[in-house]
């Protein structure tokens, strides 16, 4: 299920290792190590690890209220 945060804000992430699927509304983005993404956190979204091993990311939510 896609989630959204009611407040205005942004999320940004960078993939350190692994492979991730980021769904934002009706768009799907496949991210690999070194890739990054940025989007409005009020839009429905979901992040999933689609690699066969543990994935590592750095994720930032701004403002940090949720």
């Amino acid at each position: 299920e896609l989630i959204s945060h009611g407040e205005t804000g942004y999320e940004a992430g960078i993939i350190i290792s692994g492979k991730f699927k980021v769904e934002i509304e009706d768009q799907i983005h496949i991210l690999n190590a070194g890739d990054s993404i940025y989007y409005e956190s009020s839009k429905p979204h979901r992040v999933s690890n689609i690699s066969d091993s543990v994935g590592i990311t750095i994720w930032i939510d701004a403002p940090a209220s949720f």
Side-chain angles (χ1 to χ4, degrees):
E1 179 178 324
L2 300 179
I3 62 166
S4 62
H5 309 285
E7 299 181 28
T8 302
Y10 297 92
E11 292 189 33
I14 185 167
I15 309 305
I16 305 301
S17 67
K19 185 175 186 176
F20 288 80
K21 177 169 71 171
V22 180
E23 299 171 70
I24 306 166
E25 295 183 319
D26 61 348
Q27 298 178 347
I28 296 177
H29 306 274
I30 304 299
L31 304 179
N32 295 289
D35 292 339
S36 61
I37 194 163
Y38 170 86
Y39 54 90
E40 293 178 38
S41 57
S42 60
K43 293 183 177 182
H45 59 279
R46 173 176 38 208
V47 179
S48 306
N49 179 358
I50 59 172
S51 61
D52 293 332
S53 61
V54 173
I56 299 172
T57 68
I58 297 173
W59 223 259
I60 298 168
D61 296 330
S65 60
F66 38 80

